[in-house]
Amino acid sequence: MSRLRLHAERHTVARIGWLRAAVLGANDGIVSTGSLIVGIAASNADKASVLLAGVAALVAGAMSMAAGEYVSVSSQSDSEKANLAKEARELADQPEFEREELAAIYIGRGLDRELALEVADQLMAKDALAAHARDELGISDLTTARPLQAAAASAATFGVGAAAPLLVVALAPERLLILLVTATSLVFLAALGALGAKAGGAAPWRSVLRVTFWGAMAMALTAGIGRLAGTAV
């Protein structure tokens, strides 16, 4: 007799909340700080001024990312809570209608009516609100909004990303500063794209191409503006 062998499956959906914030934070840290450094250096500012501007950008950017993520994800969390409260009231006031509504979802997925009603009954008997949250509202423990987690991940990874071009500024000779910051920032972006794609279970080449292209574009534009500003002064 053959035995059914169970295996542990690893899905990336559980990472979606912190992964999005982390990748966004690190990407912004590299692109914004690297671009700022390149732009200021292109305006003929001295190395000390470039480094000071980069440090200020790191601190301000990390705080901005944390605040932005917290506000954004808090809005999502508030919406989820409001929808769950509304669903709880409907379950208390119209349990039969909610049973039919849940069964209709399962019928739409391919179950016959009798089985759909049986599934709805069993799930609602265990946890009616959780069943409706998951199948009607699309809210689950894996994807629910976590504002503090998103804010912390975004701020921390922004700081790490911004520190990379700053380290290059500290170590690079002033005459090669623009070239080295640009080159290393693009390398860091490519590595970030590959890591983010691997963590999310996606193909790495597309992510690498996407982040390096937009990073190069941002640094080129900022360098051009810095050059014009330096010439004007």
Side-chain angles (χ1 to χ4, degrees):
M1 180 184 295
S2 62
R3 293 184 177 180
L4 177 65
R5 298 183 64 183
L6 300 178
H7 65 281
E9 294 185 346
R10 296 181 180 180
H11 297 289
T12 59
V13 67
R15 305 170 182 165
I16 194 168
W18 66 263
L19 179 61
R20 182 191 65 82
V23 171
L24 179 63
N27 182 82
D28 277 6
I30 297 171
V31 173
S32 63
T33 307
S35 297
L36 178 67
I37 287 170
V38 169
I40 293 177
S43 70
N44 297 318
D46 59 77
K47 184 174 178 177
S49 298
V50 173
L51 190 59
L52 178 60
V55 171
L58 186 156
V59 175
M63 293 304 298
S64 176
M65 289 295 292
E69 279 293 331
Y70 184 81
V71 170
S72 174
V73 180
S74 291
S75 296
Q76 179 186 342
S77 179
D78 291 343
S79 177
E80 289 178 355
K81 290 175 181 176
N83 278 287
L84 287 173
K86 179 182 178 183
E87 195 65 30
R89 290 193 299 270
E90 291 175 350
L91 283 166
D93 297 337
Q94 308 173 68
E96 187 58 32
F97 176 82
E98 291 299 312
R99 172 181 180 255
E100 290 287 342
E101 189 175 41
L102 193 60
I105 293 172
Y106 301 140
I107 292 171
R109 294 176 182 174
L111 300 185
D112 61 53
R113 176 173 173 77
E114 184 178 349
L115 181 57
L117 286 169
E118 183 179 348
V119 171
D121 287 339
Q122 291 193 28
L123 290 177
M124 290 180 68
K126 181 178 181 180
D127 191 334
L129 183 58
H132 281 267
R134 180 180 59 252
D135 293 322
E136 183 182 345
L137 303 177
I139 300 173
S140 71
D141 289 338
L142 293 177
T143 58
T144 190
R146 295 179 176 86
L148 288 175
Q149 183 189 68
S154 187
T157 53
F158 182 97
V160 171
L166 275 175
L167 182 62
V168 176
V169 174
L171 299 177
E174 190 167 332
R175 61 188 178 84
L176 297 176
L177 197 149
I178 294 176
L179 176 63
L180 290 177
V181 168
T182 300
T184 54
S185 293
L186 292 177
V187 171
F188 294 144
L189 285 170
L192 173 65
L195 287 172
K198 183 178 180 181
W205 67 267
R206 183 176 299 173
S207 178
V208 169
L209 182 62
R210 182 168 55 234
V211 297
T212 52
F213 172 80
W214 288 109
M217 181 71 72
M219 283 183 276
L221 289 173
T222 313
I225 293 172
R227 185 70 67 186
L228 289 173
T231 302
V233 173

